[in-house]
Each structure stands twice: as C-alpha cells, then as structure tokens.
Amino acid sequence: AGQARCPTEASGSLRFIREKYQLSAGVSFQPQNSKLSYKKGDYMIDTTRSVFNFAPNIDFRYRFSKVSQLRFNYRGRTGQPSMENLLPIVDNSNPLNIRVGNPSLKPSYTNTFTLNFNSYNANHQRNMVASVLAENTINSITNQVTYDSESGVRTTTPLNLNGNWRAMGSFSLNTPFKNRSWRFRTYSYLQYRNQNGYSTINKEAPVKSTVKHLTARQRLQLT
C-alpha cells in the first residue's frame, strides 16, 4: 500500500486585550487530499479522498495581579480514519488474525478543556499552581474483535464508538516556614480515564466493554 497526502491550512483569530484580562478565539481549517494505491493478491485499488479538518480554540486569561492569574483554554481537533481502514476488503494474510475494513467509518472529534491557576507571593516566597483538564472524543475509532473458539480465528474490524473520556487534576505548593531555614513542597496528581471497546465470543453480537483507569500520585518534600 502506498499513501500520499497534500494538506494545506488556513486559519483566523480574534484577540481582545484589557487591563485585567485577555481573550483570543480562532479556528484553523485544513482541506486534505489523500491518494492511496493498494494491491493485495488479485485486488488492486487506486482511490482518492478529500476531507476537511477544522480545529477551533479559545484562550481566556484573567490576571488578579502581576504574579497571579487564571487561564481557561479550549481546543478541538478532528481525526480522520486511515484510508486502509476505510477499504471494503478482507485482509487474511494471517489466517488466524483477519482484518476487515469499514467504509462507514466517521471522523473522530476531540474536545479538550483546561483550567489553570498560578500564584506567587514574593513576601513569603510561596508558589502555588493548580490545574484541571477534561477531554472527551466523539466517534472515537476502536477495534471490534470477534474470536471463534472453534477455529481460533480473530477477526478485527474498526468501528466508531462514543464514551471515551478522561479527567485530570493536579496541585502543587512550594513554601518556606517562618524561619526560612526549612522549605516544604507538595505535589498531588489524580487522573480518571474511561475507555470503551467491543468484543465478541463465538460470533455472537458485539458486547460493549469498559476499562476504567485511576491514577493517583502524591509527593512530599522537606528541605
């Protein structure tokens, strides 16, 4: 298989600046033309695909003081399925692991929201940073795997699926004690991730499965 892409990009944005805050919003557009030459056995295809990607963004910053601010950011991005996944063909080069294309695949779209706060107190030499992130993907592209226990054959097909998201928060504080001889640092991190998928046994109807990940970190330091 050989694939070539010819992307171009155009973007536009607006910005408002005031004494206490600034706001910028924009979007980038990317028309994309892809060509694929695919040959496998007696099957040959030369196909061209034209798609239109876009990525909006919003950035808002509010300044409480010269050393303290709150920032909100939103970004969206489009993800296109690969052209090989879209081909209506069956790849059985490995008889125990067969792959089937899906011409009905839709593009995915990911939303990412972040909120950050940072503050520094020069008199106390204290620094504090807090962050929150939330992200979800619409029409996420995942693989459905069908397993035939009699033959041992696994058949994989790409599908669109919703419900993939994650949320993350972190907090850090760096501050000295009153006598300035000792310094205390702490860092906390928590992330929750929800990932969906499909699986089937013995050619039954696909069953939606969900994997949940929870990650927590805590670091304390005394100097």
Side-chain angles (χ1 to χ4, degrees):
Q3 184 170 329
R5 295 183 177 181
C6 302
T8 57
E9 185 171 337
S11 62
S13 62
L14 294 172
R15 176 175 292 182
F16 301 91
I17 299 177
R18 298 295 184 267
E19 181 180 356
K20 284 289 188 179
Y21 71 89
Q22 67 179 49
L23 172 67
S24 62
V27 62
S28 63
F29 304 95
Q30 187 184 67
Q32 189 178 69
N33 185 270
S34 303
K35 298 180 180 180
L36 176 68
S37 297
Y38 185 91
K39 179 180 180 181
K40 187 169 185 61
D42 296 331
Y43 184 85
M44 295 181 60
I45 185 172
D46 289 316
T47 183
T48 301
R49 179 182 64 170
S50 297
V51 296
F52 190 79
N53 298 322
F54 69 99
N57 67 85
I58 298 173
D59 188 83
F60 175 78
R61 305 184 189 189
Y62 186 86
R63 189 175 65 176
F64 298 97
S65 66
K66 292 182 179 180
V67 292
S68 179
Q69 74 167 1
L70 180 71
R71 181 179 181 181
F72 169 79
N73 182 268
Y74 164 75
R75 291 186 181 276
R77 64 181 185 274
T78 305
Q80 298 292 338
S82 69
M83 293 186 68
E84 291 185 17
N85 281 341
L86 290 169
L87 293 178
I89 60 174
V90 177
D91 183 355
N92 55 5
S93 54
N94 184 344
L96 294 179
N97 291 280
I98 299 174
R99 187 165 186 87
V100 181
N102 183 1
S104 301
L105 280 178
K106 300 176 182 178
S108 63
Y109 186 80
T110 301
N111 299 287
T112 304
F113 303 86
T114 57
L115 184 65
N116 297 286
F117 173 78
N118 65 277
S119 176
Y120 179 72
N121 187 311
N123 293 330
H124 295 88
Q125 297 181 3
R126 179 183 301 124
N127 183 55
M128 182 176 65
V129 179
S131 301
V132 177
L133 178 145
E135 184 176 84
N136 79 305
T137 302
I138 302 170
N139 288 328
S140 178
I141 299 173
T142 188
N143 289 325
Q144 173 189 301
V145 180
T146 303
Y147 176 67
D148 189 335
S149 60
E150 295 180 1
S151 62
V153 175
R154 296 179 183 271
T155 303
T156 303
T157 304
L159 294 175
N160 289 116
L161 184 66
N162 291 321
N164 289 345
W165 60 274
R166 68 185 179 111
M168 182 272 290
S170 66
F171 173 79
S172 65
L173 176 67
N174 186 336
T175 182
F177 290 103
K178 288 185 178 181
N179 58 13
R180 303 294 176 92
S181 298
W182 292 87
R183 177 169 289 275
F184 173 76
R185 297 182 177 92
T186 179
Y187 174 75
S188 305
Y189 174 89
L190 186 67
Q191 178 176 257
Y192 182 86
R193 185 187 297 269
N194 191 87
Q195 293 179 301
N196 291 325
Y198 281 117
S199 62
T200 55
I201 300 296
N202 295 334
K203 302 179 181 179
E204 296 176 358
V207 177
K208 183 179 178 181
S209 60
T210 302
V211 179
K212 304 177 187 296
H213 300 266
L214 179 63
T215 304
R217 302 189 187 101
Q218 175 64 47
R219 183 170 67 245
L220 298 172
Q221 184 178 0
L222 188 64
T223 305

